[in-house]
Amino acid sequence: MRKADLAADVAGRASLTKAQAKSAVDAVFEVIRDALANGDTVSVTGFGRFSTKSRSARTGRNPRTGESVAIAASKAPSFKAGKALQARLRKEEPG
């Protein structure tokens, strides 16, 4: 499912126009993006938690030359599914 498909589905379920739904979907993703950039966690009850994880600096190896390469520390986005979403994916009722 692409973002356009998501917006069309939201429009149908929420009785919105496609333009309104696209704007709403874009706004939600922008809020999540901004929160993660600020180091915050976004929790959506029944769905999951968006957060960032820190990756420490390490030494890697260039596979072509075998030369050691320094890899800088970085942050990466992370998502952990909530219990209700996990149960839905397993076709179970949440407990």
Side-chain angles (χ1 to χ4, degrees):
M1 177 180 275
R2 298 181 336 237
K3 188 165 70 167
D5 300 330
L6 179 62
D9 202 3
V10 167
R13 292 178 188 220
S15 300
L16 299 171
T17 66
K18 286 187 180 182
Q20 290 171 327
K22 181 184 179 306
S23 179
V25 168
D26 287 341
V28 168
F29 287 134
E30 187 176 333
V31 168
I32 292 171
R33 213 178 356 244
D34 290 346
L36 293 179
N38 291 332
D40 295 334
T41 298
V42 178
S43 295
V44 181
T45 303
F47 185 71
R49 184 178 72 228
F50 297 91
S51 61
T52 56
K53 290 189 176 186
S54 296
R55 294 182 177 170
S56 59
R58 62 191 189 282
T59 302
R61 190 164 303 277
N62 182 333
R64 182 171 289 178
T65 64
E67 180 182 341
S68 293
V69 178
I71 301 172
S74 63
K75 289 186 178 183
S78 174
F79 175 76
K80 182 168 190 232
K83 288 182 182 180
L85 177 58
Q86 290 176 359
R88 179 84 182 259
L89 294 176
R90 286 189 230 114
K91 305 285 189 213
E92 301 172 1
E93 287 299 314

